[in-house]
Amino acid sequence: MELNRQPPPTRRFSTGERENAIDRTVPVLPPALEFDEHNYFDHNAPPEYLDGMTKQVQKFLDFHKHNRVVLVTSGGTTVPLENQTVRFIDNFSAGTRGATSAEYFLEQGYAVLFLHRQFSLLPYSRHYSHSTHCFLDYMDERDGSVVVDPKYQEEMLSVLRKYQAARTKNLLLLLPFTTINQYLHTLRAISVIMQPLESRALFYLAAAVSDFFIPPSRIPEHKIQSKGGGNKLVMDLDPVPKFLNRLVEKWAPSAMIISFKLETDPTILIFKAEQALERYSHQLVIGNLLQTRKTEVVFVGPGQNHDWLRLSDEQQADGIEIECMIIPAVVKLHSQWINRR
Ligand code: PMT
């Protein structure tokens, strides 16, 4: 037998460079100031649809001017790598937290502005989309007509009634975004329109917002070519300004503001939530871990106050959702906020 004596092909994949793959020397970004706001919004054009969307929001708020209104943000933002976008960076968020929470807010009588990632989960329809069953699995054929399979009738009727009630009473407005830039422009525009609601406005920021993006000055116009740039694609991203500070101080100074903090390392969750609260001076951070986010969360409030909300094993087996504990607790805090003002 003859041995293959040819030299090995040139190595085409990097190995053993995990430490250097991402530059972690970037310092912690301070909260955004007025200058950062102008700098960002002057150089990143608003989405074309923004004027139309703000008119819709204004009409909705005119209708609900005496009610409590919550802005729920939901799903992940994308970071385009090209102006005519073929590729983008995304994250895991399916919008479960936001869509589920919106339903419980509606149950508590709130009008809901649902600022969500397009095609992520929506209140009510979430029960039958993105699930392990195709929606056709809920259907059956009877006498040549399509009907709901009897075993799903009761549950679907209850969801349908709630959905129709929300629609008939004009309690839910769906506002989609895709990119980080669309999200930021829309958040700012809506929060300013919500100002007349004063303390009756609640911000429930459950979206998983990108931390880095490519500014317009550096983004390539066309699809990045795989040939011609060497073997690697090296990206140079700028940090997204931390606008939570602007929201609290300028865009919605009388509203109650709740942000979420997601971590994967349990040992730093509380610390990071406290740090966010201290840095942005808002009212509450709800901490959650990627692994357990559907069964437990921690409320981190001023004065090193931590309250864990957890589903018991029995509740989990019964399909109870953690949002049915989160939202009543949030509503109680919002009532206190309103009464103190
Ligand atoms: O959608 P699911 O699959 O159900 O997952 C839900 C969730 C885990 C995404 C959600 O519960 C959650 O934790 N969301 C926040 C994720 C996070 O840690 O975000 P952050 O640290 O990047 O931002 C903190 C807060 O500021 C968030 O509320 C965010 O919406 C807001 N933010 C962040 C950056 C920025 N430029 N503007 C913002 O408004």
Side-chain angles (χ1 to χ4, degrees):
M1 196 171 81
E2 219 179 82
L3 286 172
N4 181 355
R5 298 259 173 226
Q6 278 188 340
T10 331
R11 206 179 59 195
R12 297 181 60 203
F13 305 102
S14 307
T15 53
E17 291 180 5
R18 190 180 297 181
E19 274 76 39
N20 301 328
I22 298 176
D23 177 4
R24 297 274 63 179
T25 59
V26 186
V28 176
L29 199 66
L33 302 173
E34 192 175 348
F35 166 82
D36 303 302
E37 180 180 338
H38 288 304
N39 196 31
Y40 180 88
F41 288 100
D42 290 350
H43 291 100
N44 291 271
E48 279 172 15
Y49 59 74
L50 191 61
D51 275 352
M53 189 178 265
T54 49
K55 283 189 186 108
Q56 264 185 296
V57 173
Q58 188 62 67
K59 207 168 151 202
F60 185 80
L61 295 180
D62 288 345
F63 189 83
H64 290 294
K65 54 175 173 275
H66 302 300
N67 299 346
R68 291 188 188 191
V69 179
V70 60
L71 174 78
V72 175
T73 70
S74 182
T77 57
T78 68
V79 175
L81 301 187
E82 298 122 348
N83 209 11
Q84 297 190 35
T85 310
V86 174
R87 300 188 183 88
F88 53 87
I89 304 174
D90 204 348
N91 66 55
F92 72 96
S93 173
T96 314
R97 171 83 74 227
T100 312
S101 301
E103 285 183 23
Y104 289 98
F105 276 120
L106 287 160
E107 251 173 52
Q108 297 273 341
Y110 278 69
V112 177
L113 291 164
F114 190 64
L115 181 58
H116 66 284
R117 164 73 178 277
Q118 190 174 33
F119 308 127
S120 65
L121 292 175
L122 295 177
Y124 306 115
S125 73
R126 74 181 172 99
H127 296 271
Y128 306 101
S129 58
H130 294 242
S131 75
T132 41
H133 289 301
C134 161
F135 78 96
L136 293 171
D137 291 335
Y138 295 91
M139 307 295 173
D140 217 346
E141 185 181 340
R142 189 140 334 127
D143 304 326
S145 296
V146 180
V147 292
V148 173
D149 186 323
K151 62 176 178 284
Y152 301 117
Q153 285 280 352
E154 198 182 331
E155 187 199 308
M156 202 180 269
L157 182 62
S158 150
V159 174
L160 180 68
R161 282 184 179 151
K162 288 180 193 166
Y163 168 72
Q164 288 181 337
R167 287 198 60 152
T168 332
K169 294 180 193 159
N170 187 29
L171 283 167
L172 175 63
L173 185 60
L174 302 180
L175 305 164
F177 63 80
T178 303
T179 65
I180 173 71
N181 186 47
Q182 291 170 345
Y183 169 83
L184 292 173
H185 272 282
T186 316
L187 178 67
R188 182 172 78 152
I190 297 177
S191 50
V192 171
I193 307 175
M194 286 173 76
Q195 279 180 7
L197 291 166
E198 300 193 329
S199 59
R200 276 176 293 109
L202 173 62
F203 286 75
Y204 183 88
L205 307 171
V209 180
S210 319
D211 286 328
F212 296 94
F213 78 121
I214 305 183
S217 57
R218 288 210 309 272
I219 195 163
E221 178 62 22
H222 294 287
K223 184 186 166 204
I224 299 167
Q225 297 298 307
S226 57
K227 285 186 186 150
N231 279 339
K232 286 185 179 180
L233 173 61
V234 179
M235 283 187 274
D236 183 9
L237 306 176
D238 277 7
V240 173
K242 294 287 180 195
F243 285 126
L244 203 47
N245 190 48
R246 300 302 293 160
L247 180 69
V248 175
E249 284 185 4
K250 291 284 169 206
W251 307 345
S254 307
M256 179 170 182
I257 295 173
I258 300 174
S259 73
F260 276 76
K261 178 47 73 186
L262 173 75
E263 291 298 338
T264 53
D265 177 354
T267 62
I268 63 168
L269 179 64
I270 303 265
F271 167 73
K272 296 288 284 198
E274 282 177 347
Q275 196 183 49
L277 200 66
E278 197 187 315
R279 188 169 288 164
Y280 303 115
S281 317
H282 55 306
Q283 286 69 53
L284 179 71
V285 177
I286 303 181
N288 53 178
L289 292 165
L290 184 67
Q291 311 84 309
T292 55
R293 67 191 190 279
K294 295 192 178 170
T295 54
E296 61 176 17
V297 298
V298 58
F299 277 32
V300 177
Q304 300 194 315
N305 215 344
H306 314 146
D307 271 331
W308 283 94
L309 304 185
R310 281 197 184 93
L311 291 178
S312 65
D313 292 346
E314 207 175 35
Q315 288 172 315
Q316 290 180 44
D318 288 345
I320 308 276
E321 297 169 313
I322 186 87
E323 288 76 7
C324 84
M325 298 167 91
I326 299 176
I327 305 309
V330 162
V331 170
K332 203 167 152 194
L333 292 172
H334 190 206
S335 299
Q336 290 168 3
W337 175 256
I338 293 170
N339 291 336
R340 276 205 300 265
R341 298 233 133 203

